[in-house]
């Protein structure tokens, strides 16, 4: 663990599973219950930054500068409209990063090194791109655990087994301490029999690694990023926001059990 911070990487190599939505709203929910939280946006698309209202013109420094080693977290971090929640934003510069550092011996450990300084955050949430590349490797090398958003759809288990294999490879090569924090099932539609079947299959396959909380399909959650707000700020009472608050409570309960073990 890095100076008391708990670093959780949110990853899935499949796009459109609610990864960034989960990063934003889990971080907001943790901040709302008194944790100090930092999001590191490692996706070149920068959706986590946009979804928290960070204008592209304000991103003079970004996670690219962090990974290049030219600036520290303190220099790249920006406040958000959510009390206790800050972000290191992303820019399209990240697209060229892999080529720029691919020959460097420490290329996988750039983020870990940047986060090694003591910082005033209890949780650091890293939002990864929807692919397994050097950015995702940096996130997994720096983290203690991986949280996997999984869409309730037919191909979910197929993609999940690939991701679990990836985590296993990272554990064997660069980060023996890496663990699966949990699997969160997203975009659940209770009217859809297939969605319920996916839930049952994933729970059978992974048991208590799967969170009890189901994140429902929710129009308000989908609308929120266009207003530069987490769903929890946009509409606290909607089903999606309530689910993310419940998820944050589960994450903290798991962390308490882990510390007590």
């Amino acid at each position: 663990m890095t100076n008391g911070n708990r670093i959780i990487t949110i990853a899935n190599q499949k796009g459109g599973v609610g990864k960034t939505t989960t990063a934003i709203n889990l971080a907001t929910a943790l901040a709302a219950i008194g944790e100090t939280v930092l999001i590191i946006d490692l996706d070149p698309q920068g959706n986590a930054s946009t979804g928290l209202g960070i204008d592209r013109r304000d991103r003079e420094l970004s996670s690219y500068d962090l990974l290049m080693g030219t600036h520290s977290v303190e220099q790249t971090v920006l406040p958000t409209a959510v009390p206790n929640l800050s972000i290191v934003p992303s820019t399209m510069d990240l697209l060229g990063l892999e080529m720029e550092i691919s020959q460097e011996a420490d290329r996988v450990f750039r983020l870990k090194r940047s986060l090694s300084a003591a910082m005033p955050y209890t949780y650091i949430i890293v939002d990864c791109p929807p692919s397994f590349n050097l950015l995702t490797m940096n996130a997994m090398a720096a983290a203690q655990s991986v949280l996997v958003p999984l869409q309730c759809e037919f191909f979910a288990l197929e993609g999940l087994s690939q991701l679990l294999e990836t985590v296993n490879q990272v554990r064997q090569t660069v980060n023996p301490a890496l663990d699966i924090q949990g699997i969160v099932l997203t975009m659940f539609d209770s009217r859809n029999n297939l969605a319920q079947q996916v839930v049952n299959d994933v729970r059978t396959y992974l048991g208590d690694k799967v969170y009890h909380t189901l994140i429902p399909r929710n129009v308000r959650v989908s609308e929120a990023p266009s207003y530069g707000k987490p769903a929890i700020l946009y509409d606290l009472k909607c089903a999606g926001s309530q689910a993310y608050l419940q998820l944050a409570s589960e994450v903290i309960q798991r962390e308490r059990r882990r510390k007590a073990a």
Side-chain angles (χ1 to χ4, degrees):
M1 188 176 294
T2 310
N3 295 301
N5 311 115
R6 188 66 180 165
I7 304 173
I8 301 174
T9 285
I10 300 191
N12 192 324
Q13 70 271 42
K14 190 173 183 300
V17 298
K19 182 176 54 59
T20 298
T21 301
T22 297
I24 290 172
N25 286 290
L26 174 60
T28 300
L30 288 168
I33 53 182
E35 304 291 343
T36 50
V37 188
L38 173 68
I39 291 182
I40 296 181
D41 190 351
L42 277 194
D43 189 342
Q45 295 175 85
N47 291 337
S49 307
T50 304
L52 282 167
I54 307 297
D55 194 286
R56 291 191 182 275
R57 290 167 296 187
D58 295 330
R59 302 178 205 177
E60 290 178 29
L61 295 172
S62 70
S63 53
Y64 168 81
D65 301 284
L66 201 61
L67 293 178
M68 287 301 289
T70 58
H71 294 81
S72 66
V73 171
E74 287 78 7
Q75 291 169 314
T76 53
V77 73
L78 293 172
T80 72
V82 181
N84 297 330
L85 176 59
S86 303
I87 187 168
V88 174
S90 161
T91 61
M92 297 294 278
D93 292 339
L94 279 176
L95 286 171
L97 181 92
E98 193 150 356
M99 197 174 293
E100 290 181 64
I101 67 170
S102 63
Q103 302 304 312
E104 302 295 327
D106 68 342
R107 61 188 176 276
V108 173
F109 299 105
R110 293 296 184 94
L111 183 61
K112 183 175 184 178
R113 190 178 64 201
S114 296
L115 298 179
S116 61
M119 285 179 293
Y121 305 103
T122 48
Y123 284 92
I124 297 175
I125 308 283
V126 187
D127 187 33
C128 295
S131 59
F132 187 67
N133 57 17
L134 189 55
L135 294 168
T136 307
M137 275 290 282
N138 263 272
M140 289 190 181
Q144 288 99 19
S145 61
V146 180
L147 189 151
V148 183
L150 197 69
Q151 188 176 354
C152 295
E153 56 147 44
F154 181 66
F155 291 113
L157 274 173
E158 186 179 296
L160 179 60
S161 59
Q162 292 171 354
L163 185 66
L164 295 178
E165 179 56 36
T166 296
V167 171
N168 199 35
Q169 287 172 1
V170 171
R171 193 184 291 129
Q172 289 173 4
T173 54
V174 298
N175 186 358
L178 189 66
D179 188 27
I180 298 284
Q181 217 280 348
I183 314 291
V184 57
L185 293 159
T186 63
M187 303 183 191
F188 177 72
D189 184 346
S190 58
R191 299 165 300 180
N192 185 330
N193 290 338
L194 177 61
Q196 188 59 60
Q197 185 60 50
V198 170
V199 171
N200 295 341
D201 288 349
V202 174
R203 291 202 194 284
T204 300
Y205 182 46
L206 283 165
D208 60 6
K209 282 290 183 191
V210 186
Y211 292 104
H212 296 298
T213 304
L214 294 172
I215 308 297
R217 277 196 184 278
N218 189 259
V219 173
R220 302 296 276 173
V221 170
S222 304
E223 287 173 353
S226 64
Y227 292 88
K229 291 181 177 179
I232 289 166
L233 278 193
Y234 180 63
D235 184 352
L236 177 62
K237 292 193 167 67
C238 77
S241 295
Q242 290 299 306
Y244 276 114
L245 286 168
Q246 198 177 328
L247 177 64
S249 175
E250 269 198 85
V251 167
I252 286 177
Q253 284 168 14
R254 286 190 183 205
E255 289 303 317
R256 284 181 184 149
R257 285 200 298 271
R258 180 191 58 77
K259 286 175 186 171

